Amino acid sequence: MDIQWSLVLFTALTGMGGWLFFFICLNVFVRKTDKGAFAGTATALALTVVGGLASITHLSHPDRMLGALQHPTSGIFTEALLVGLLAIVMIAFLVMLRRGIDGGALKAVAVVGMALGALMSFMAGQSYLMSAIAAWNTELLPLGYLGTAAASGAAAYLVLIAAQKADENACSLYGLMTLAAGCVALITVLAYGAVAGAFAGDAAPMTIAAAAFGGVAPIACGFLARKKPGSAVALGAVALIAALIGSIAFRCAMWVIGAGLYDFFGLI
């Protein structure tokens, strides 16, 4: 099966944007830094919008997508709903930041934002579960989507706050978060690769790259950033680039080991 690059970019970008927003919202509760909230949310919103637009470019008949949106049980409906809700919450968060609204109201929006940010990446992978393709029909697939997106989102937040001169305690904490997200990415990629047989055949190089770039690199960079927060900008940038490569590689591996659905996606 050909790699569907539009869908790869859709899930990688919206996943990264969702998890970047997750960590921004998390900081509303831990209060480790006052840096990066507005710029980070604007960036997360842009990633979500661009990713959402990318999702329709693979369709031969985009107008038929409107029919799918009339069926709440379809994957397209779920993805479109989550993208829309996440964008609305991000916009509300931006407005609240601009107006200086804090306290319980901001925390309530942050809770919703964290839930939607994490759910977006998981449900994007959940849409591909089907009995017709055994290698896709496992919950480890959406968990891999979630794990790799979490690593890229955590790294993005680390480099963002470090570039805006957050103090060393904040950089150290979010270095630890990047390390933790990298561990989740590594575990989920390895688990999916083992169950789906992705470490054999044409998908093997991509799966190995997903584990190395998407998991090992953020773990190493997060560990170093925690120990040396003064170097968090460079370490965060390396982690971000590597995590995004790993996220894309994981999604490409999924398409390579799939079979028989290329025409289906072209007819929607």
PDB file of all heavy atoms in Angstrom, residues 24-32 106-108 110-111 114:
ATOM      1  N   ILE A  24       0.895  22.760  27.985  1.00  0.00           N
ATOM      2  CA  ILE A  24       0.596  24.155  28.330  1.00  0.00           C
ATOM      3  C   ILE A  24      -0.490  24.194  29.402  1.00  0.00           C
ATOM      4  O   ILE A  24      -0.395  24.942  30.383  1.00  0.00           O
ATOM      5  CB  ILE A  24       0.149  24.936  27.082  1.00  0.00           C
ATOM      6  CG1 ILE A  24       1.319  25.094  26.113  1.00  0.00           C
ATOM      7  CG2 ILE A  24      -0.402  26.310  27.462  1.00  0.00           C
ATOM      8  CD1 ILE A  24       0.921  25.601  24.744  1.00  0.00           C
ATOM      9  N   CYS A  25      -1.517  23.384  29.222  1.00  0.00           N
ATOM     10  CA  CYS A  25      -2.609  23.318  30.201  1.00  0.00           C
ATOM     11  C   CYS A  25      -2.139  22.713  31.518  1.00  0.00           C
ATOM     12  O   CYS A  25      -2.582  23.136  32.605  1.00  0.00           O
ATOM     13  CB  CYS A  25      -3.766  22.511  29.632  1.00  0.00           C
ATOM     14  SG  CYS A  25      -4.625  23.310  28.248  1.00  0.00           S
ATOM     15  N   LEU A  26      -1.260  21.732  31.437  1.00  0.00           N
ATOM     16  CA  LEU A  26      -0.716  21.137  32.660  1.00  0.00           C
ATOM     17  C   LEU A  26      -0.004  22.190  33.496  1.00  0.00           C
ATOM     18  O   LEU A  26      -0.102  22.193  34.739  1.00  0.00           O
ATOM     19  CB  LEU A  26       0.254  20.015  32.296  1.00  0.00           C
ATOM     20  CG  LEU A  26       0.984  19.341  33.463  1.00  0.00           C
ATOM     21  CD1 LEU A  26      -0.006  18.635  34.384  1.00  0.00           C
ATOM     22  CD2 LEU A  26       2.035  18.349  32.944  1.00  0.00           C
ATOM     23  N   ASN A  27       0.671  23.107  32.834  1.00  0.00           N
ATOM     24  CA  ASN A  27       1.403  24.143  33.557  1.00  0.00           C
ATOM     25  C   ASN A  27       0.470  25.100  34.297  1.00  0.00           C
ATOM     26  O   ASN A  27       0.890  25.766  35.243  1.00  0.00           O
ATOM     27  CB  ASN A  27       2.286  24.934  32.589  1.00  0.00           C
ATOM     28  CG  ASN A  27       3.229  25.866  33.313  1.00  0.00           C
ATOM     29  OD1 ASN A  27       4.122  25.442  34.041  1.00  0.00           O
ATOM     30  ND2 ASN A  27       3.012  27.164  33.137  1.00  0.00           N
ATOM     31  N   VAL A  28      -0.790  25.165  33.886  1.00  0.00           N
ATOM     32  CA  VAL A  28      -1.767  25.975  34.615  1.00  0.00           C
ATOM     33  C   VAL A  28      -1.900  25.469  36.048  1.00  0.00           C
ATOM     34  O   VAL A  28      -2.145  26.242  36.983  1.00  0.00           O
ATOM     35  CB  VAL A  28      -3.137  25.940  33.897  1.00  0.00           C
ATOM     36  CG1 VAL A  28      -4.219  26.598  34.755  1.00  0.00           C
ATOM     37  CG2 VAL A  28      -3.039  26.638  32.543  1.00  0.00           C
ATOM     38  N   PHE A  29      -1.694  24.186  36.235  1.00  0.00           N
ATOM     39  CA  PHE A  29      -1.833  23.575  37.559  1.00  0.00           C
ATOM     40  C   PHE A  29      -0.508  23.534  38.328  1.00  0.00           C
ATOM     41  O   PHE A  29      -0.483  23.776  39.527  1.00  0.00           O
ATOM     42  CB  PHE A  29      -2.409  22.165  37.427  1.00  0.00           C
ATOM     43  CG  PHE A  29      -3.795  22.135  36.869  1.00  0.00           C
ATOM     44  CD1 PHE A  29      -4.012  21.978  35.514  1.00  0.00           C
ATOM     45  CD2 PHE A  29      -4.892  22.299  37.706  1.00  0.00           C
ATOM     46  CE1 PHE A  29      -5.297  21.965  34.993  1.00  0.00           C
ATOM     47  CE2 PHE A  29      -6.186  22.289  37.191  1.00  0.00           C
ATOM     48  CZ  PHE A  29      -6.383  22.134  35.828  1.00  0.00           C
ATOM     49  N   VAL A  30       0.600  23.226  37.639  1.00  0.00           N
ATOM     50  CA  VAL A  30       1.875  23.109  38.346  1.00  0.00           C
ATOM     51  C   VAL A  30       2.563  24.456  38.525  1.00  0.00           C
ATOM     52  O   VAL A  30       3.420  24.608  39.405  1.00  0.00           O
ATOM     53  CB  VAL A  30       2.818  22.119  37.639  1.00  0.00           C
ATOM     54  CG1 VAL A  30       2.191  20.730  37.577  1.00  0.00           C
ATOM     55  CG2 VAL A  30       3.190  22.583  36.242  1.00  0.00           C
ATOM     56  N   ARG A  31       2.215  25.430  37.677  1.00  0.00           N
ATOM     57  CA  ARG A  31       2.713  26.805  37.816  1.00  0.00           C
ATOM     58  C   ARG A  31       4.233  26.890  37.879  1.00  0.00           C
ATOM     59  O   ARG A  31       4.797  27.635  38.685  1.00  0.00           O
ATOM     60  CB  ARG A  31       2.124  27.448  39.075  1.00  0.00           C
ATOM     61  CG  ARG A  31       0.615  27.554  39.085  1.00  0.00           C
ATOM     62  CD  ARG A  31       0.127  28.636  38.151  1.00  0.00           C
ATOM     63  NE  ARG A  31      -1.307  28.817  38.209  1.00  0.00           N
ATOM     64  CZ  ARG A  31      -1.983  29.718  37.515  1.00  0.00           C
ATOM     65  NH1 ARG A  31      -1.336  30.524  36.695  1.00  0.00           N
ATOM     66  NH2 ARG A  31      -3.289  29.813  37.612  1.00  0.00           N
ATOM     67  N   LYS A  32       4.892  26.175  36.995  1.00  0.00           N
ATOM     68  CA  LYS A  32       6.349  26.202  36.994  1.00  0.00           C
ATOM     69  C   LYS A  32       6.928  27.371  36.200  1.00  0.00           C
ATOM     70  O   LYS A  32       8.086  27.750  36.394  1.00  0.00           O
ATOM     71  CB  LYS A  32       6.896  24.887  36.439  1.00  0.00           C
ATOM     72  CG  LYS A  32       6.846  23.734  37.422  1.00  0.00           C
ATOM     73  CD  LYS A  32       7.778  23.985  38.600  1.00  0.00           C
ATOM     74  CE  LYS A  32       7.806  22.819  39.563  1.00  0.00           C
ATOM     75  NZ  LYS A  32       8.732  23.051  40.694  1.00  0.00           N
ATOM     76  N   LEU A 106      -9.949  29.388  34.185  1.00  0.00           N
ATOM     77  CA  LEU A 106      -8.843  28.963  33.322  1.00  0.00           C
ATOM     78  C   LEU A 106      -8.516  27.495  33.564  1.00  0.00           C
ATOM     79  O   LEU A 106      -8.225  26.750  32.619  1.00  0.00           O
ATOM     80  CB  LEU A 106      -7.608  29.822  33.575  1.00  0.00           C
ATOM     81  CG  LEU A 106      -6.434  29.592  32.607  1.00  0.00           C
ATOM     82  CD1 LEU A 106      -6.827  30.001  31.191  1.00  0.00           C
ATOM     83  CD2 LEU A 106      -5.200  30.369  33.061  1.00  0.00           C
ATOM     84  N   LYS A 107      -8.584  27.059  34.806  1.00  0.00           N
ATOM     85  CA  LYS A 107      -8.308  25.657  35.116  1.00  0.00           C
ATOM     86  C   LYS A 107      -9.356  24.729  34.499  1.00  0.00           C
ATOM     87  O   LYS A 107      -9.023  23.630  34.043  1.00  0.00           O
ATOM     88  CB  LYS A 107      -8.242  25.452  36.633  1.00  0.00           C
ATOM     89  CG  LYS A 107      -6.992  26.048  37.272  1.00  0.00           C
ATOM     90  CD  LYS A 107      -6.964  25.806  38.767  1.00  0.00           C
ATOM     91  CE  LYS A 107      -5.687  26.372  39.384  1.00  0.00           C
ATOM     92  NZ  LYS A 107      -5.627  26.176  40.856  1.00  0.00           N
ATOM     93  N   ALA A 108     -10.598  25.171  34.491  1.00  0.00           N
ATOM     94  CA  ALA A 108     -11.650  24.352  33.886  1.00  0.00           C
ATOM     95  C   ALA A 108     -11.397  24.160  32.397  1.00  0.00           C
ATOM     96  O   ALA A 108     -11.518  23.048  31.860  1.00  0.00           O
ATOM     97  CB  ALA A 108     -13.017  25.007  34.117  1.00  0.00           C
ATOM     98  N   ALA A 110      -8.497  24.399  30.982  1.00  0.00           N
ATOM     99  CA  ALA A 110      -7.266  23.618  30.879  1.00  0.00           C
ATOM    100  C   ALA A 110      -7.537  22.125  31.003  1.00  0.00           C
ATOM    101  O   ALA A 110      -6.936  21.312  30.297  1.00  0.00           O
ATOM    102  CB  ALA A 110      -6.269  24.065  31.947  1.00  0.00           C
ATOM    103  N   VAL A 111      -8.443  21.743  31.894  1.00  0.00           N
ATOM    104  CA  VAL A 111      -8.792  20.324  32.054  1.00  0.00           C
ATOM    105  C   VAL A 111      -9.373  19.775  30.754  1.00  0.00           C
ATOM    106  O   VAL A 111      -8.997  18.692  30.289  1.00  0.00           O
ATOM    107  CB  VAL A 111      -9.789  20.133  33.213  1.00  0.00           C
ATOM    108  CG1 VAL A 111     -10.374  18.727  33.189  1.00  0.00           C
ATOM    109  CG2 VAL A 111      -9.099  20.380  34.548  1.00  0.00           C
ATOM    110  N   MET A 114      -6.587  19.491  28.147  1.00  0.00           N
ATOM    111  CA  MET A 114      -5.719  18.334  28.346  1.00  0.00           C
ATOM    112  C   MET A 114      -6.382  17.055  27.851  1.00  0.00           C
ATOM    113  O   MET A 114      -5.748  16.223  27.187  1.00  0.00           O
ATOM    114  CB  MET A 114      -5.359  18.196  29.834  1.00  0.00           C
ATOM    115  CG  MET A 114      -4.447  19.286  30.346  1.00  0.00           C
ATOM    116  SD  MET A 114      -4.223  19.241  32.149  1.00  0.00           S
ATOM    117  CE  MET A 114      -3.256  17.744  32.322  1.00  0.00           C
TER     118      MET A 114
END
